[in-house]
Each structure stands twice: as C-alpha cells, then as structure tokens.
Amino acid sequence: MLQSLDIRDFVIVRQLELDLSHGFTVLTGETGAGKSILLDALAIAMGEKADSSLIRETCSRAQICANFYISESLQKILNPWLEEFGFPLEDGGNYVQLKRIIESTGRTKGYINGSNATLAQLRDIGEQLVDIHGQHEHQLLLKPGAQRALLDRHAHLMPLQEQVALAYKHWLSIDKKLQLAKNAGQNIAKEKERLSWQLEELSLLAPQVGEWSEIEVEHSRLSNAAELIEGAQALVNLLSDGDNALLDQLSKAQNLLDDLVNLDGALVGAKEALEPATIQIDEAAHTINRYLQKLDLDPQRLELIDSRLQEYYRLAKKLHCGPAELPRIWAQMQEELASLEAAQNLEALEKEIAKAWQTYLQLAKKLSASRRVAAEQLAQSVTLAMQDLAMTGGRLMIELVPQEQGSQYGLENIEFLVAGHPGVQPRPISKVASGGELARISLAIAVIASSASPIPTLIFDEVDAGIGGAVAQTVGNRLKQLGQTHQVLCVTHLPQVASQGDHQWRVQKLIDNNQTISDIQVLSRQDRVHEIARMLGGAAITDTTLRHARELLEH
C-alpha cells in the first residue's frame, strides 16, 4: 500500500509530507483547493507525462516521492520484475520507492529504489501498485488486456492462462521450423555442409568454458619456469638460506634491541615493531619454498599446452572471434546443425506441429469454458451493484469475442459492454461518454472483483459526480466495504461519502508571502464535524448543519 507521499514545489504545493493509513481515506475541500493535484502528483511519480509548467512559481524544480509497503503476496508478483530490471528490494525489505524530479529545462528524471528508471518502467510497476478510478486517462480498466486480466484474476484462471501461453509459444516455435524447412530448400543442405566441416575441426579441439584463461596462465608459467625457479631460489637465499640472509640480520637486530631495552625502556616500541617483520619474512620464505617444491620444468607438458594454445588461436582467427568465445560458438553450431537436420524432416515436423496445436486447443477451450461461466457471474454481480449507483436498469455484459486465430491469451478477446439505462444498447466500456458514469461502473466492478485484485491501493477521483442522497450513501458504503481489503483514497464533494471515511483530510488554499499554496490538514473528530457541515450547508454553518453532520458521522 501507499505508505507516504512527499511532494515539493509542485503546482501550488510548497511541501507536503503525507503519511497514509489502511482503510478508507477521504479528501475534501473547496473546489480548486488542490485535491486533484495530489492525485496528479502520484500519477507523475508512476510515469505520467510531465513538463516544467508543473513546477511551482519561482522554483527551479519539483520533486515527488512515493513510498509503498509491499506485502508478501505482492512481493511474489513484483520480485521477478524488480530483479530483472535491477531494482531489487533490500534483504528483508518490504518497501518500494518511486521518485520523479521535474527540472526547469523540461527534463524529468525517474527513480525506482534509488536507481535510474525509464517512464515505461515507472508505469509498469505503478500499475501493479495503484489503480486510479474516475479519470479516463488514468483508468486501468480502459487499457488493452486489462479487462481480460481482471476476469481471469477474478475467476482464478491466471495459472491456466499461463499454460495456454506456453502451449501457444511452443506451437509457434515448431511452426517457425516448419516454415524454414519448406522455404530453405537447397540452402539448408549448403548450410549443413558448412557447419559440418567447421564442427569437425572444433570437435577435435573440444573447447571448454573457462579453459582458455587456464591455458594462458599455465602456458605463461611453464614457458617461464626456468626464470621462475631461478628468481624464487634467489629470494629464498636473500630471506633465509644465504649468507647474511634477512632473517639472520633481523635476529641480530632483535638481540641487540633486547640488550638496549634492558638499559632504556623507551626502545620497547622499536622492539615491538620489529617482531612482526620477522614473522612475516619467515612466512614469505616458507611460502616461496612451497612454491619451489611444486614448480618444475616439464618440456612435454609445455609442448602440449603450446600446441593447444596455437590451435585456439588458429580456429579463433578462422571463425572471426576471440579464443574465449570458441566454446560458445561450438555449442551454438551443434544446436544449429541439429535444428537444420530436424528441419529437413518435414513429415516429423508436421506431426509435431499438429500435436502441439491440439495441446494448445485443449487448454484454450478449457480456458474459454471457464471464462464463460466467470463472465456471466461477474456481469450479474456488477449489474446488481449498478442498480444502487444511480444506474437503475443499467447492466454490464462481458462478451467473449472469438478470434480468427488463437493467441497466447486464448481463443477470444474479452470486452466489457455497458448499458447505463434501460433500453440502451450495450457499448464498449471504453466508449462510455459520461466520466461520472464510467467512474461508478468502475466502482461497482472494483468492489465485486476486489478479492481477486492484487493491486493494494485504489483511488477514486470524484466518483460521486452527478449523484446525491441515498445513492451517495450507497457509494460511501461501497467504498468503506472496499477499504476493508484495500487501501482506498477518494476525492469527494459529498458529505454522505465523506462521512463514511475511516480518515479524512481537508485540502485548502492558503496565501503566504503573496503566493497561493495548497495545504492538507488531517482532521480530528470535531474538525470532521465542521468540515462535513461545510459540505452540507456551504459557507454558512448553522446548528442544524452541525447536528446533521454529527448524525452522518455517527451512522
């Protein structure tokens, strides 16, 4: 869920540091106070377009930072994506941070967990964290594939859909081989011949991963063995075995220091400093001696290694690659030759592709059958909810539109159709004209499908447009119900909705040093009474509106 939102120098916001809670939070205030600015800021943190016009006057840049708490179930969804793109959670961490900076030059910078991120990456992860309802440009339900994904999640069909996708991709790979076999003809034979003679030479060498670096090291050691032996022996003589060796000289120096320390304790420091030197030089001498015992001249081994080294160089030059790349190229050629040999067997490929298609069809038909049942149930539930949301007689239809050819998503496209009133022909939800109507339909779908949605934070921007009275009370009840399983934020002008909130914030404009700024106040119980009274009666707050406000809050 959204844990905190930090906004600096954005439009008319100087600085806001907001800590958010579980449950249902309402944002209220006069029109133009800046309620939607908060949602715009959050959307920009999640990758929406931005430019320098959004920076507060007299400032050089704006900054928005959103911190999200990630539950264990959501981590299972997000972790693979975060790891793939280099934004891993810290060990034991449960938080993701999205940050956006807008410069006065018009440039913007995005960050995920402190690392540079593209707008596409911000949008990708943002759609997994927050779903903004009520505005066409932010409505996840309008985006391609979202309706299908919502239905599949609601019906717990995602594992089956993944099986369908894998089966389809397997069929595609075989189809590609078959087309290659049909179109290539003589080219395949020529390519096989070329690969065969190249593989013959490579197979004689049989290059192994990591072998090249080992050969280089061993060749260098063997070819310089005489010099290494001579130099190592000279070092041993200097350190321990020769006349006037360092260890002998140090021993004499220590004996002399011992005598002097007995005369003057001020030299104890020099004695203590000399002791580690003796130990380290003695250890170095032993290490070199052990090295000499293992090092020997082996002309036969040197000849063998030199021959293999030269063969690496020869084949690398012939194949226009580096010596270290030969193991990879060898494996790649083996795979290519096997593919070409298999590709020439048209009969075997045709049998394989027929079998793969039948496997795909079996899984896809099973998915279609499950979708039909789930679509009818979800449509009925949402239609029932619409009756309480000023859409009496309205209905939702979920249509499974067959595709001419299957896809990784199955044999059909999923399309939500809506009729807002009796006698109206259902139309695609993306073409619903009324923003308020679309928001209420989305609310109905969100409440019904909330148990299936992994998105933890839902935001509703003025879902009460065009409604009032008992319908507004129902909207508030629905949002409060949704707040039991999700974090819900709602911008509202209706007291019936605001009174249902677990928490309430008041957004207001202030004048400071001749500048207009937007500020937010977290309301206490008594403050909520006065704010809801304002929403009920306007600027003039009377005892009657205060009493009515208390009654709304009590209920």
Side-chain angles (χ1 to χ4, degrees):
M1 73 169 200
L2 181 60
Q3 191 84 6
S4 63
L5 183 62
D6 187 349
I7 306 172
R8 298 172 189 265
D9 299 321
F10 180 75
V11 191
I12 59 172
V13 175
R14 176 186 294 163
Q15 180 175 350
L16 283 176
E17 295 180 3
L18 306 174
D19 294 320
L20 293 96
S21 304
H22 292 279
F24 176 29
T25 300
V26 291
L27 284 78
T28 61
E30 299 283 359
T31 300
K35 298 184 294 298
S36 293
I37 289 176
L38 300 180
L39 304 190
D40 292 341
L42 181 58
I44 286 170
M46 297 189 305
E48 289 294 325
K49 292 183 179 179
D51 57 51
S52 59
S53 66
L54 297 172
I55 302 174
R56 191 169 66 89
E57 289 185 7
T58 73
C59 297
S60 60
R61 71 176 191 172
Q63 178 176 299
I64 304 151
C65 185
N67 292 291
F68 295 86
Y69 172 80
I70 309 300
S71 65
E72 288 186 9
S73 59
L74 190 57
Q75 282 186 43
K76 293 178 182 178
I77 298 173
L78 291 183
N79 270 340
W81 188 94
L82 291 168
E83 293 286 347
E84 179 183 356
F85 291 102
F87 309 115
L89 298 175
E90 294 182 4
D91 291 341
N94 299 99
Y95 294 90
V96 166
Q97 183 187 82
L98 307 185
K99 185 176 180 181
R100 191 85 177 274
I101 296 174
I102 309 170
E103 304 283 0
S104 58
T105 58
R107 287 187 57 198
T108 70
K109 299 176 183 177
Y111 303 89
I112 298 175
N113 291 343
S115 298
N116 290 326
T118 65
L119 296 188
Q121 289 170 334
L122 287 170
R123 285 192 290 269
D124 282 348
I125 192 170
E127 288 179 358
Q128 303 297 318
L129 297 170
V130 180
D131 186 5
I132 302 179
H133 294 260
Q135 298 185 30
H136 284 272
E137 62 270 26
H138 297 320
Q139 182 53 272
L140 183 63
L141 196 59
L142 300 180
K143 296 183 178 180
Q147 295 171 16
R148 180 196 64 251
L150 187 151
L151 177 64
D152 286 348
R153 282 199 304 268
H154 177 69
H156 307 291
L157 295 175
M158 293 306 289
L160 179 55
Q161 198 277 311
E162 290 172 4
Q163 291 180 42
V164 170
L166 288 173
Y168 184 78
K169 290 175 182 176
H170 178 58
W171 173 80
L172 275 182
S173 67
I174 301 170
D175 183 64
K176 184 177 180 181
K177 292 179 183 178
L178 182 59
Q179 296 307 316
L180 175 65
K182 288 179 178 179
N183 298 330
Q186 293 182 347
N187 290 335
I188 288 183
K190 292 179 180 179
E191 183 66 11
K192 277 182 62 180
E193 185 179 355
R194 181 187 69 82
L195 284 172
S196 295
W197 66 258
Q198 288 182 339
L199 273 171
E200 186 176 351
E201 288 187 295
L202 275 171
S203 297
L204 287 173
L205 178 65
Q208 302 300 312
V209 175
E211 182 187 22
W212 171 250
S213 59
E214 294 174 1
I215 287 175
E216 283 190 305
V217 171
E218 187 175 4
H219 185 270
S220 175
R221 180 173 58 79
L222 289 172
S223 59
N224 295 288
E227 185 177 347
L228 287 168
I229 291 172
E230 182 181 352
Q233 187 60 59
L235 278 171
V236 170
N237 290 335
L238 282 171
L239 296 174
S240 62
D241 293 354
D243 296 335
N244 296 319
L246 279 176
L247 284 176
D248 292 338
Q249 297 299 319
L250 281 172
S251 179
K252 292 177 181 178
Q254 284 180 316
N255 291 333
L256 181 58
L257 262 176
D258 287 341
D259 294 339
L260 294 176
V261 165
N262 290 332
L263 299 175
D264 188 350
L267 290 172
V268 168
K271 177 184 176 182
E272 291 175 349
L274 196 58
E275 287 174 353
T278 303
I279 295 170
Q280 290 174 5
I281 290 173
D282 185 55
E283 179 61 29
H286 278 87
T287 300
I288 296 169
N289 265 316
R290 288 194 295 271
Y291 174 77
L292 275 169
Q293 291 169 9
K294 295 179 182 179
L295 187 64
D296 58 358
L297 294 169
D298 189 347
Q300 291 182 341
R301 178 63 179 170
L302 176 59
E303 184 179 353
L304 177 64
I305 290 296
D306 186 66
S307 174
R308 193 160 180 78
L309 188 79
Q310 296 306 319
E311 189 65 5
Y312 258 94
Y313 277 126
R314 186 183 72 80
L315 287 176
K317 183 177 180 181
K318 192 171 186 177
L319 296 174
H320 306 288
C321 67
E325 295 180 84
L326 287 179
R328 177 186 61 80
I329 290 175
W330 185 36
Q332 182 180 317
M333 285 184 174
Q334 289 173 320
E335 291 176 4
E336 289 178 3
L337 184 59
S339 296
L340 289 173
E341 288 173 345
Q344 285 189 308
N345 192 342
L346 295 179
E347 183 179 353
L349 281 173
E350 286 171 349
K351 288 181 180 179
E352 189 178 358
I353 198 170
K355 182 180 178 182
W357 182 251
Q358 285 304 315
T359 300
Y360 166 75
L361 272 182
Q362 184 180 2
L363 290 168
K365 287 179 179 179
K366 182 180 178 181
L367 179 61
S368 296
S370 300
R371 280 173 171 170
R372 276 191 290 272
V373 174
E376 185 176 350
Q377 293 174 347
L378 180 58
Q380 289 176 355
S381 298
V382 173
T383 295
L384 184 62
M386 289 167 65
Q387 311 313 305
D388 298 327
L389 296 173
M391 300 181 74
T392 304
R395 60 195 172 105
L396 173 74
M397 292 177 57
I398 301 178
E399 189 172 20
L400 277 62
V401 184
Q403 294 179 302
E404 290 185 10
Q405 294 181 337
S407 74
Q408 62 179 321
Y409 301 112
L411 300 173
E412 61 277 320
N413 292 320
I414 307 299
E415 189 167 27
F416 285 19
L417 305 175
V418 174
H421 308 283
V424 175
Q425 185 67 26
R427 294 180 299 156
I429 197 170
S430 59
K431 296 181 180 178
V432 173
S434 166
E437 189 176 70
L438 174 61
R440 278 176 276 135
I441 294 167
S442 300
L443 172 63
I445 294 173
V447 172
I448 301 302
S450 62
S451 61
S453 174
I455 301 175
T457 300
L458 305 176
I459 297 178
F460 296 90
D461 187 6
E462 300 189 17
V463 296
D464 49 27
I467 63 174
V471 175
Q473 187 75 22
T474 300
V475 169
N477 286 334
R478 295 281 185 182
L479 291 170
K480 191 172 185 68
Q481 175 188 349
L482 197 56
Q484 294 175 6
T485 54
H486 291 69
Q487 180 187 48
V488 178
L489 283 77
C490 177
V491 173
T492 183
H493 290 285
L494 290 182
Q496 295 94 331
V497 174
S499 63
Q500 298 284 341
D502 299 311
H503 320 281
Q504 185 170 351
W505 298 350
R506 179 173 58 209
V507 185
Q508 56 188 345
K509 279 184 179 180
L510 302 173
I511 304 298
D512 185 26
N513 292 329
N514 293 321
Q515 285 190 330
T516 301
I517 60 171
S518 182
D519 189 40
I520 288 184
Q521 180 184 2
V522 179
L523 300 183
S524 66
R525 173 76 179 186
Q526 188 58 37
D527 291 333
R528 290 190 70 181
V529 171
H530 282 271
E531 175 63 7
I532 291 173
R534 178 198 65 76
M535 298 171 74
L536 284 165
I541 298 176
T542 65
D543 291 340
T544 301
T545 54
L546 286 171
R547 185 172 62 254
H548 191 184
R550 291 190 189 96
E551 290 175 356
L552 282 175
L553 283 170
E554 287 170 2
H555 290 300

